Amino acid sequence: MKTKIALMAAVMAFSYSFAQENPHLASYSQKIDSIVVSEKSKMDTELDAVDKNFK
């Protein structure tokens, strides 16, 4: 789980830094950001289920 978070953070950081150099990559950055947001919401749902089962 921690590796997924680290990978997503690295992808976001890379996309932000790379998109600043090339304006045509802004659309790719937005797509990556949307993927990261959707994965984060899925992960939050999974963590809520784990917390509920733990209690």
Side-chain angles (χ1 to χ4, degrees):
M1 176 100 51
K2 290 181 182 179
T3 56
K4 282 185 180 180
I5 294 171
L7 179 63
M8 286 189 282
V11 167
M12 280 184 54
F14 179 76
S15 66
Y16 279 123
S17 66
F18 202 73
Q20 290 176 356
E21 295 176 7
N22 299 321
H24 69 278
L25 292 178
S27 64
Y28 294 120
S29 176
Q30 290 173 350
K31 289 177 184 178
I32 290 172
D33 289 343
S34 68
I35 291 170
V36 168
V37 168
S38 68
E39 289 296 322
K40 183 179 177 187
S41 68
K42 289 178 186 177
M43 184 178 62
D44 287 340
T45 304
E46 291 174 5
L47 286 175
D48 288 343
V50 169
D51 286 341
K52 189 175 181 180
N53 288 336
F54 183 70
K55 290 179 183 179

